[in-house]
Structure formats: C-alpha cells, structure tokens
Amino acid sequence: MKRIGILSSHNGSGFDAIQKACENNELDAQVVLVISNNSTAQVLQKAQSKNIPNFIVNAKKFPDENLDKKITDMMSEFKVDYIFLSGYMKKIEENLVKTFENRIINSHPALLPKFGGKGMYGTNVHKAVIENGEKKSGCTVHFVNENYDEGKFILQNEITLEENETVESLEEKIKKLEIITIIESLKTVIK
C-alpha cells in the first residue's frame, strides 16, 4: 500500500477525493500526512477528523528554519511515497522536488500548457479561459518540477464550454472534473 502526503493551503478538495478513494479501496493507498502553510485551512480539521497526522508549516511558526527542508524531512519521516498538492499556494522548492522527483503530483484547473504559471490558480484561470474565448477547458494532472505547471503530464480531461458559460459555472464544472481526473491519474501512477 502506497503512502500519500498532502500539501494544502485551504479546503483540500483533492484531499477529500483521495481520502474517499482510499477508504473505498479504489486506490491501494493511504493518506498518512497532511501539511498546510495556513493555520486556518479546513483541510487540517478534515485530516484531524480522520485521525491523519497534520501540521502547520509556515514562516510564522518556524521563523528560523528552512521550510523546504522541514517539509522534505517530515515527508521522509512519514515514509511518504507520493505527495499530492491539493490547492497548495506555495512554490515547491528544490529540496522537496529533488527528494521526491516524479513523485509530487498537482492538479491544475486548465488544459496546460495554456493558462498555467505564476498567478494562474482558481478563479483567475477560469476568467482567463472565458476572456480568451476558448471553446474547451479542463484539467491537467501533472508531476511537479521546479517551475510552475511545467512538469510532465499524467492525464488531461476536457469539457466543452457552453455559449453562456460564466466563470462560476465553469469553475463548478472543472472542480467536478478534477475529482475524477485526480483519481484516474493516481490509479495509473500508484501501482
């Protein structure tokens, strides 16, 4: 059984999907650690309710420590096989990328390479898709490297935009698609 670590800054909808798939034996895996940079992130309470070890790691809590090294050490200590970024709003640094090369996975709410990079997250992505007049959007699950949204693709799924698509309606559709795509992707990676 593979061991998954989660990095999340907010609600952790990816965590929810992965945890549910693990509980339902869709994935031969177990979430063993949740780390957030945000002390008020809901994902921490969700992890706690499932008795999953969870920690806050940020500059406020650890002002004199190298956070990249701290997160890497914690993931290693918990013997994590794969790391999933569930809405993690910090750039993944070199130490973590090298230690867990091709084992850090992210889901992006667009069809990369379009609409990726710094500042392209959440509503910003969907707004850019609509403003650009795109006919299709979707999500991309990919491995993480040292550059935002540039790692090797694992899986992309797409939808066709409606004529009257709004940022809100597109965001809702992509969130549902991401849950399916995350689990499909992990099934191909986790063996």
Side-chain angles (χ1 to χ4, degrees):
M1 180 177 291
K2 297 296 183 186
R3 296 168 66 84
I4 299 174
I6 303 283
L7 288 172
S8 182
S9 294
H10 298 291
N11 297 335
S13 54
F15 162 77
D16 294 336
I18 292 168
Q19 180 63 23
K20 185 177 176 188
C22 292
E23 288 173 0
N24 295 340
N25 296 316
E26 282 181 73
L27 287 174
D28 187 22
Q30 174 185 10
V31 177
V32 297
L33 175 64
V34 173
I35 297 174
S36 182
N37 61 304
N38 177 0
S39 60
T40 62
Q42 286 182 359
V43 72
L44 296 168
Q45 288 79 38
K46 292 176 182 181
Q48 199 167 14
S49 75
K50 299 287 183 181
N51 294 317
I52 298 168
N54 57 92
F55 302 92
I56 300 159
V57 178
N58 59 29
K60 190 174 183 182
K61 190 161 178 139
F62 300 100
D64 300 323
E65 290 192 46
N66 177 328
L67 300 182
D68 177 34
K69 183 176 182 334
K70 181 149 195 72
I71 291 169
T72 304
D73 290 348
M74 291 174 82
M75 291 292 181
S76 297
E77 179 187 333
F78 278 83
K79 296 179 174 50
V80 166
D81 296 301
Y82 292 95
I83 298 170
F84 184 80
L85 308 184
S86 182
Y88 190 61
M89 305 315 275
K90 293 284 185 186
K91 190 169 192 307
I92 301 301
E93 300 294 333
E94 182 180 16
N95 198 40
L96 192 60
V97 169
K98 285 190 170 159
T99 304
F100 289 90
E101 189 172 1
N102 292 323
R103 295 189 292 145
I104 304 173
I105 299 167
N106 184 44
S107 179
H108 184 76
L111 297 172
L112 293 173
K114 286 185 171 184
F115 309 107
K118 191 171 170 77
M120 283 308 228
Y121 57 87
T123 306
N124 297 348
V125 174
H126 308 304
K127 187 175 180 200
V129 166
I130 288 173
E131 286 176 354
N132 206 49
E134 296 293 319
K135 302 287 183 228
K136 292 187 183 298
S137 189
C139 59
T140 305
V141 176
H142 64 94
F143 289 110
V144 173
N145 63 18
E146 58 282 347
N147 300 314
Y148 284 114
D149 302 324
E150 289 183 15
K152 181 181 169 207
F153 295 175
I154 300 168
L155 182 65
Q156 284 188 313
N157 278 332
E158 65 179 43
I159 59 166
T160 302
L161 272 68
E162 303 290 330
E163 295 245 343
N164 60 346
E165 201 76 65
T166 65
V167 171
E168 294 76 19
S169 65
L170 180 58
E171 185 170 32
E172 196 58 38
K173 289 176 187 175
I174 298 297
K175 280 182 179 177
K176 289 177 182 169
L177 184 64
E178 272 191 295
I179 289 168
I180 294 164
T181 308
I182 288 165
I183 302 309
E184 284 179 2
S185 301
L186 289 177
K187 283 179 181 175
T188 67
V189 171
I190 295 175
K191 295 190 164 81

